[in-house]
Amino acid sequence: MKPIEQPWILAGYRLFAHEGPKGLTVEGLARVVGKSKSSFYHHFADLEVFTELLLRYHLNQVHRIAEQERQCQNVIPDLVNLLLTVKENLLFDRQLRIHRTIPAFKQCFDKSTGAVGEAISGIFADMLGLAHNSALTRMVLMLSLENFYLQLTPETLTYDWLVGYMHELQAMVRAFQANDRQQSILYGSV
């Protein structure tokens, strides 16, 4: 991104994160940046080009965050605290998920969740007690991310909510494991 484009991209990022694609209007962007609409068209041919740059910017952000996620030693509190510092990025991903019927948004969302999944799968597996089963870890992670974005709002994105969400995931996996052990006892190991 060129330095002169930065205010536009940052404004678009915030608008998209909170309002989705309907927030991306030339008028709204110009108002937030404090420039004229013609200034927008001077830097970007149209909203489609701008949106492509915005998605590219998001993926760069995601890869930067994924590197930070890899450095986390555990989910609570390390990953949770990191997530609280990147709220806008999470809300941007949420909008991509909501509007994934748009092919470019789906592609960006898939790349984003793939990068996140790869970055946190190790500590996620440890948290859930699934370090011995990477395939199951990946499935639970993808399902929990889907559910995470369904529940995510600017208001719910708090430390307590994130910790509670992680505890719910742990409880769910423990319940499945207990049920599996019970089935093995009742029916014998297959």
Side-chain angles (χ1 to χ4, degrees):
M1 154 179 40
K2 299 173 189 168
I4 200 152
E5 296 171 346
Q6 186 174 2
W8 293 97
I9 296 295
L10 294 177
Y13 200 78
R14 278 189 306 278
L15 287 169
F16 187 90
H18 293 276
E19 300 176 34
K22 74 176 182 342
L24 294 181
T25 65
V26 175
E27 296 81 12
L29 287 163
R31 187 172 36 258
V32 170
V33 175
K35 302 279 183 178
S36 67
K37 290 183 347 183
S38 62
S39 178
F40 173 88
Y41 290 112
H42 176 75
H43 300 296
F44 313 99
D46 55 28
L47 272 174
E48 187 175 326
V49 169
F50 178 80
T51 302
E52 288 173 19
L53 291 171
L54 192 61
L55 295 177
R56 195 173 313 140
Y57 173 78
H58 178 64
L59 288 176
N60 287 334
Q61 293 294 99
V62 166
H63 291 294
R64 181 186 58 77
I65 294 164
E67 285 305 312
Q68 293 175 299
E69 289 171 334
R70 279 186 187 81
Q71 303 306 311
C72 292
Q73 297 297 309
N74 48 54
V75 172
I76 301 169
D78 298 346
L79 182 62
V80 168
N81 285 328
L82 173 59
L83 293 178
L84 291 172
T85 68
V86 295
K87 286 182 178 186
E88 204 162 80
N89 305 86
L90 295 173
L91 293 171
F92 193 98
D93 257 342
R94 176 181 174 267
Q95 291 294 342
L96 290 173
R97 187 216 161 274
I98 291 169
H99 300 283
R100 63 184 167 191
T101 56
I102 299 168
F105 294 172
K106 181 181 181 341
Q107 182 181 24
C108 188
F109 181 72
D110 289 346
K111 287 179 181 178
S112 176
T113 55
V116 167
E118 184 180 312
I120 68 170
S121 62
I123 62 170
F124 192 76
D126 290 343
M127 177 191 82
L128 297 176
L130 295 174
H132 63 284
N133 194 333
S134 60
L136 184 55
T137 297
R138 181 87 176 145
M139 288 172 40
V140 172
L141 179 57
M142 290 300 109
L143 284 171
S144 64
L145 282 173
E146 180 72 16
N147 182 266
F148 175 80
Y149 287 116
L150 284 171
Q151 296 183 46
L152 186 66
T153 67
E155 296 77 31
T156 61
L157 193 49
T158 65
Y159 184 86
D160 290 338
W161 181 80
L162 285 168
V163 169
Y165 188 77
M166 300 305 171
H167 287 305
E168 286 176 17
L169 292 175
Q170 287 174 316
M172 178 187 70
V173 169
R174 278 193 303 271
F176 283 137
Q177 289 170 329
N179 186 51
D180 189 44
R181 281 189 297 275
Q182 207 172 31
Q183 294 295 321
S184 292
I185 292 168
L186 286 174
Y187 300 109
S189 294
V190 177

